[in-house]
């Protein structure tokens, strides 16, 4: 299964930007990079995904390294409601396009 | 106007029983999934269906049988429940196989 490496936990102050890193050195050319988050006692929530170019949506931005071996999820202004586990996932065609969740990064937001 | 809904939210049952969890999505998506999240919070895919056809079937015991009566529904039937089946089960859907997935609120299954 596709392997991504994320820090176990991170902390941020409210209203400051947060950069969540992810390494995926085994990425293939057709693999999509997905980010999801899971708030306590809720189902995972889609955040963003991309292939090669940086992506922006109303929730976050995704910055993808030129060699695609790493990516960074950027929350522009963290709020208390952003406290969650953030998962970086490779969607690999060789695995039938399934998402393989890892352990993610637990983000704590300080008021 | 819930996008992906699951019933029941909680399910407590005895070992050996048969139970079903229902999932419905009103997003018009073609692909639906079942995931299992165990007590250590690992989230693992079990099945995926695309337009009512099985696409992914992970190494899941035969006691688990998904059924998709139509594109908007993917139900999960579990026979002869075991203690190790206790987990939170999430249903999800996506507009296409390489799109973002939208998850339901989960069904917490407890087998006694």
């Amino acid at each position: 299964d596709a392997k991504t490496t994320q820090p176990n936990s991170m902390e941020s102050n409210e209203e400051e930007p947060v950069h969540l890193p992810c390494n995926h050195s085994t990425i293939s050319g057709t693999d999509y990079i997905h980010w999801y988050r899971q708030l306590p006692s809720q189902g995972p929530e889609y955040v963003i995904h991309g292939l090669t170019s940086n992506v922006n949506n109303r929730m976050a931005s995704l910055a993808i390294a030129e060699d695609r071996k790493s990516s960074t999820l950027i929350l522009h202004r963290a709020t208390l409601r952003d406290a969650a586990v953030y998962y970086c996932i490779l969607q690999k065609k060789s695995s039938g396009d399934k998402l393989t969740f890892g352990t993610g990064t637990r983000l704590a937001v300080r008021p | 106007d819930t996008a992906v809904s699951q019933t029941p939210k909680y399910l407590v049952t005895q070992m050996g029983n048969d139970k079903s969890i229902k999932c419905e999505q009103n997003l018009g998506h073609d692909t639906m999934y079942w995931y299992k999240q165990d007590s250590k919070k690992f989230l693992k895919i079990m099945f995926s269906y695309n337009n009512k056809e099985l696409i992914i079937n992970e190494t899941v015991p035969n006691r688990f049988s998904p059924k998709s009566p139509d594109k908007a529904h993917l139900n999960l039937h579990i026979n002869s429940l075991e203690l190790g089946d206790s987990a939170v089960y999430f249903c999800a859907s996506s507009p296409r196989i390489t799109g973002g997935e939208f998850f339901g609120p989960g069904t917490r299954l407890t087998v006694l």
Side-chain angles (χ1 to χ4, degrees), chain A residues 4-5 15 17-18 20 33 35 39 44 46 57-58 60 62 65 70 72 74 80 87 91 95 97 103-104 107-108:
Chain A
T4 61
T5 305
E15 299 192 3
V18 183
L20 296 161
I33 302 161
W35 282 83
L39 279 65
Y46 167 78
N57 66 21
R58 63 173 180 80
L62 175 60
S70 65
T72 302
I74 303 165
L80 297 179
Y87 298 97
Q91 189 180 35
S95 301
D97 292 312
T103 53
L107 175 67

Side-chain angles (χ1 to χ4, degrees), chain A:
Chain A
D1 284 341
K3 176 76 175 167
T4 61
T5 305
Q6 300 176 253
N8 285 335
S9 62
M10 289 183 65
E11 280 191 346
S12 169
N13 293 320
E14 200 176 8
E15 299 192 3
E16 289 186 358
V18 183
H19 290 232
L20 296 161
C22 180
N23 287 320
H24 29 78
S25 57
T26 61
I27 193 168
S28 301
T30 55
D31 296 345
Y32 281 83
I33 302 161
H34 284 249
W35 282 83
Y36 284 76
R37 70 181 186 181
Q38 189 170 19
L39 279 65
S41 301
Q42 293 190 28
E45 177 185 25
Y46 167 78
V47 178
I48 202 166
H49 78 287
L51 185 60
T52 55
S53 305
N54 294 344
V55 185
N56 299 300
N57 66 21
R58 63 173 180 80
M59 287 182 73
S61 295
L62 175 60
I64 301 173
E66 206 169 316
D67 63 5
R68 302 213 320 131
K69 293 185 186 302
S70 65
S71 62
T72 302
L73 180 72
I74 303 165
L75 307 178
H76 295 287
R77 284 184 68 208
T79 70
L80 297 179
R81 288 179 299 174
D82 291 323
V85 178
Y86 286 78
Y87 298 97
C88 168
I89 303 161
L90 295 185
Q91 189 180 35
K92 297 183 78 71
K93 284 236 172 279
S94 59
S95 301
D97 292 312
K98 68 182 182 184
L99 298 179
T100 303
F101 285 76
T103 53
T105 296
R106 182 173 296 277
L107 175 67
V109 180
R110 291 184 291 255

Side-chain angles (χ1 to χ4, degrees), chain B residues 56-103:
Chain B
I56 293 173
N57 183 352
E58 288 295 287
T59 310
V60 176
N62 290 340
R63 300 181 295 104
F64 290 79
S65 52
K67 290 206 170 36
S68 182
D70 55 57
K71 213 171 76 164
H73 295 85
L74 181 62
N75 303 323
L76 184 65
H77 188 76
I78 315 170
N79 288 329
S80 303
L81 278 156
E82 300 177 357
L83 294 176
D85 297 332
S86 295
V88 181
Y89 291 84
F90 290 101
C91 177
S93 72
S94 69
R96 57 197 173 281
I97 289 176
T98 54
E101 295 180 20
F102 293 80
F103 283 76

